[in-house]
Amino acid sequence: MKRDVRILLLGEAQVGKTSLILSLVGEEFPEEVPPRAEEITIPADVTPERVPTHIVDSSEAEQTVEELQDEIHKANVVCVVYDVSEEATIEKIRTKWIPLVNGGTESGPRVPIILVGNKSDLRPGSSMEAVLPIMSQFPEIETCVECSAKNLRNISELFYYAQKAVLHPTAPLYDPETKQLKPACSQALTRIFRLSDQDLDQALSDEELNAFQKSCFGHPLAPQALDDVKMVVRKNVAGGVRDDRLTLDGFLFLNTLFIQRGRHETTWTILRRFGYGDALELSPDYLFPPLHVPTGCSTELNHFGYQFVQKVFEKHDQDRDGALSPAELQGLFSVFPAAPWGPQLLCTVPTKAGRLPLHGYLCQWTLVTYLDVQRCLEHLGYLGYPILCKQDSQAHAITVTREKMLDQEKGQTQRNVLLCKVVGAQGVGKSSFLQAFLGRGLGHQDAREPCQEPSVYTINTVQVNGQEKYLIHHYMDGQTPCLFVSSKADLPEGVALPGLSPAEFCRRHRLPAPTPFSCSGPAEPSTAVFIRLATMATFPHLVHGELNTTSFWLRVTLGAVGAAVAAVLSFSLYRVLVKSR
């Protein structure tokens, strides 16, 4: 919602623009009226919507067209003022003022307009008959207010409606031509309905309606009010109420009715409570609340988070078999813009005959929280965590662990989620190793059907000294090029160690020959070795034949983790490897 509102008054000379502003501020009709009023600001605490409101006057006599256009560009809403006793000023709305405001806007959002019929004290009847065709022609016109600056009639209402047109605009919600909710609004309200339908019976019971009402408006509906609402729906929508419960069609009808009766702030209150912004998309502030994760720390779901996601699981496990079928999982994802977990899910967590059991479901949430906490916050937001759990944000569901350095100092960790890197050459059995962690041996039924999209992660739980820990295995690419660097090459060659020489070791394991390197002397050190390292990283296929030796990868796994190129100085790794033989 906007933090302030800027209202611009336009119209012909002598229609009373300046008098309206001065009557509002002074609460009496001014005896002397200047050609143009200064901009005034109404503080937030005296406006109905609690936002600062700036009111700007205009004058064709004192401003150029360019200056008027600049004010229109800065305005959030324009009040086009006409004289109810002068028909010529009404016609100018259509021919002059609306084209000036929105004439260059062929597509996209238009500035909302309030028509203001001033000097109602000079005319006994109403001008609405003349104005209605104009309102039908221009959908950006929110409403029309007849008022009198002289006797202060409807002055406050005028500026209230102008403020309302900015903070609760009709245009994103409703199409006046079709008299239907716009697709984006209908989609957002459908998601809200699904989140509120806790038993998934496609209808809202009195209990669910009151929980929804209390969440959005702070108090439940009285029993008689509930009955009245359902009676109105029954009269207007076939199937809007089923078994004394409000269906989705009935829910959408009620919001349509609110808008048609000028109560669109009710629908906006609902939408904003569930995280929607002015564009009817979930706002970044809602989906990604602040969460500081210092370097060396990790993120985990806390017990509040696990309780919530387990409750979501139980809600969608309609057959109560302890596992989500593909159809049940699709129902869970119906409140997301797209399915957040892809086909690789079945190869990442423990599953049961193609279904997702609670254990595997919790493993997936644990994995997402550990690897990408922002994505986890987004998912919890789509599931309505702040609303359903009555919290400020879904960050309430996350625990940030202490730094890894502190764990090392204390000799143990308080973390419940641990990561293990798995590295090896192609064909040595890394994938089988990861799938075995999920309980799938080579003869397992699920293992005989290869994954559509193999996962580079698997996650399961293990017992460590009586405590359950989540262990993540990360499949690392085993084709990382490796280069031995002979440092201090300017010095005489030392006494050879027993066993294989460095050159023989590299030849036997199909590695590039050791590259000599020295940085002694006054000359700038050679960059040849660094160029070679970058070349190997850029074109790893050029040394593919040198990287397939299984025994080599079994020995240097720990040395190669996480590196684009492993440069081993002074043969220290070489000594370890030879000694291990």
Side-chain angles (χ1 to χ4, degrees):
M1 192 165 71
K2 293 186 181 297
R3 296 181 179 179
D4 60 359
V5 174
R6 188 174 181 87
I7 303 171
L8 172 64
L9 274 67
L10 291 177
E12 295 296 300
Q14 304 301 317
V15 295
K17 301 184 297 295
T18 307
S19 296
L20 287 170
I21 296 174
L22 298 179
S23 293
L24 173 73
V25 176
E27 298 184 352
E28 62 179 1
F29 186 67
E31 294 184 3
E32 294 184 6
V33 180
R36 180 180 168 213
E38 296 292 330
E39 177 180 330
I40 67 165
T41 299
I42 302 176
D45 56 358
V46 297
T47 62
E49 299 293 341
R50 300 291 176 182
V51 292
T53 300
H54 311 281
I55 301 176
V56 181
D57 196 6
S58 65
S59 170
E60 282 190 286
E62 295 198 350
Q63 292 173 285
T64 64
V65 174
E66 289 75 17
E67 289 173 332
L68 285 175
Q69 288 285 12
D70 183 57
E71 288 293 353
I72 291 170
H73 179 73
K74 292 188 292 184
N76 301 122
V77 60
V78 171
C79 293
V80 177
V81 184
Y82 65 94
D83 183 342
V84 298
S85 63
E86 292 287 343
E87 291 188 9
T89 63
I90 299 176
E91 184 59 26
K92 285 292 183 69
I93 298 171
R94 185 201 311 268
T95 61
K96 177 179 178 180
W97 295 111
I98 292 181
L100 181 65
V101 175
N102 286 323
T105 310
E106 298 299 330
S107 61
R110 295 187 167 207
V111 179
I113 293 174
I114 305 292
L115 297 185
V116 180
N118 192 25
K119 303 186 182 181
S120 62
D121 56 290
L122 299 181
R123 177 172 174 167
S126 172
S127 64
M128 291 304 295
E129 186 176 344
V131 169
L132 283 175
I134 301 176
M135 295 180 67
S136 300
Q137 181 180 351
F138 299 98
E140 61 264 43
I141 298 176
E142 292 280 334
T143 190
C144 178
V145 181
E146 290 191 341
C147 59
S148 170
K150 187 173 184 178
N151 59 24
L152 307 185
R153 175 174 174 261
N154 286 343
I155 302 297
S156 297
E157 287 80 358
L158 152 65
F159 291 102
Y160 166 71
Y161 282 118
Q163 191 181 62
K164 182 177 172 181
V166 177
L167 302 178
H168 311 297
T170 307
L173 306 181
Y174 183 74
D175 186 341
E177 294 183 2
T178 63
K179 295 181 171 53
Q180 298 289 328
L181 296 175
K182 288 190 174 179
C185 179
S186 180
Q187 184 178 357
L189 290 171
T190 298
R191 172 181 167 270
I192 291 170
F193 179 89
R194 288 172 177 164
L195 290 176
S196 303
D197 180 16
Q198 289 300 304
D199 56 9
L200 285 185
D201 66 347
Q202 311 302 316
L204 300 183
S205 65
D206 287 357
E207 183 181 355
E208 289 168 336
L209 269 173
N210 268 327
F212 163 81
Q213 173 77 13
K214 192 171 182 179
S215 175
C216 293
F217 303 102
H219 55 81
L221 287 171
Q224 184 60 50
L226 276 173
D227 291 340
D228 292 344
V229 166
K230 287 183 280 190
M231 182 180 68
V232 170
V233 174
R234 282 192 190 97
K235 287 182 177 180
N236 291 276
V237 183
V241 177
R242 188 186 69 236
D243 299 329
D244 204 38
R245 294 173 172 229
L246 187 70
T247 65
L248 175 60
D249 286 342
F251 183 73
L252 295 177
F253 165 76
L254 282 176
N255 281 279
T256 305
L257 192 62
F258 292 148
I259 296 167
Q260 290 174 340
R261 293 184 175 180
R263 291 176 52 197
H264 34 287
E265 68 272 16
T266 302
T267 298
W268 273 116
T269 300
I270 294 168
L271 291 166
R272 288 183 173 127
R273 177 68 184 99
F274 279 80
Y276 288 92
D278 291 346
L280 290 185
E281 295 179 352
L282 291 177
S283 66
D285 289 344
Y286 170 81
L287 289 176
F288 306 105
L291 181 69
H292 179 59
V293 183
T295 303
C297 301
S298 63
T299 47
E300 303 174 0
L301 281 180
N302 56 34
H303 69 282
F304 296 112
Y306 280 117
Q307 283 176 358
F308 175 76
V309 297
Q310 181 168 341
K311 187 176 180 180
V312 172
F313 178 95
E314 292 167 352
K315 170 182 174 178
H316 290 273
D317 182 18
Q318 291 288 282
D319 54 11
R320 300 292 183 262
D321 65 346
L324 297 179
S325 66
E328 289 170 335
L329 199 58
Q330 186 177 2
L332 189 154
F333 292 158
S334 67
V335 295
F336 289 75
W341 304 337
Q344 69 274 17
L345 174 67
L346 298 180
C347 298
T348 304
V349 302
T351 58
K352 183 179 177 183
R355 300 164 72 86
L356 182 64
L358 176 61
H359 176 63
Y361 169 85
L362 295 179
C363 282
Q364 175 66 11
W365 273 105
T366 303
L367 179 67
V368 172
T369 308
Y370 183 89
L371 296 179
D372 189 349
V373 70
Q374 291 299 312
R375 188 170 164 225
C376 175
L377 291 171
E378 181 184 21
H379 292 176
L380 290 172
Y382 281 118
L383 290 171
Y385 182 94
I387 300 97
L388 299 178
C389 293
K390 302 175 183 176
Q391 298 297 329
D392 291 337
S393 78
Q394 53 271 37
H396 176 261
I398 307 296
T399 290
V400 178
T401 66
R402 70 185 183 189
E403 291 186 27
K404 190 175 182 179
M405 186 180 299
L406 290 176
D407 286 345
Q408 293 171 341
E409 291 175 358
K410 294 181 179 295
Q412 67 176 37
T413 183
Q414 296 176 335
R415 300 185 180 193
N416 295 309
V417 186
L418 309 169
L419 177 65
C420 173
K421 305 278 188 178
V422 179
V423 184
Q426 185 175 3
V428 300
K430 299 186 301 299
S431 297
S432 298
F433 177 76
L434 264 64
Q435 292 304 304
F437 183 49
L438 304 180
R440 301 172 188 151
L442 293 177
H444 193 274
Q445 180 180 358
D446 291 341
R448 290 195 295 269
E449 298 179 2
C451 299
Q452 295 179 0
E453 295 187 23
S455 174
V456 296
Y457 293 97
T458 58
I459 179 171
N460 206 341
T461 54
V462 293
Q463 293 290 323
V464 179
N465 293 334
Q467 291 185 333
E468 185 177 73
K469 302 283 187 180
Y470 285 93
L471 179 61
I472 301 170
H473 280 127
H474 182 199
Y475 176 119
M476 298 286 288
D477 181 12
Q479 302 303 305
T480 304
C482 183
L483 178 68
F484 276 64
V485 178
S486 304
S487 63
K488 302 185 181 181
D490 56 294
L491 300 178
E493 199 169 311
V495 178
L497 295 172
L500 294 175
S501 67
E504 177 62 20
F505 177 87
C506 291
R507 187 193 65 76
R508 178 172 296 189
H509 293 290
R510 299 181 183 179
L511 291 170
T515 300
F517 176 77
S518 174
C519 56
S520 67
E524 186 174 338
S526 170
T527 60
V529 66
F530 305 111
I531 294 173
R532 187 171 187 186
L533 289 170
T535 303
M536 291 171 67
T538 306
F539 305 104
H541 63 282
L542 296 179
V543 289
H544 180 73
E546 303 169 339
L547 301 173
N548 287 333
T549 305
T550 300
S551 61
F552 169 75
W553 283 110
L554 292 177
R555 287 174 173 81
V556 302
T557 291
L558 294 178
V561 166
V565 176
V568 187
L569 299 178
S570 303
F571 297 120
S572 58
L573 179 59
Y574 160 73
R575 294 192 181 97
V576 173
L577 295 175
V578 171
K579 191 177 295 183
S580 69
R581 292 172 63 89

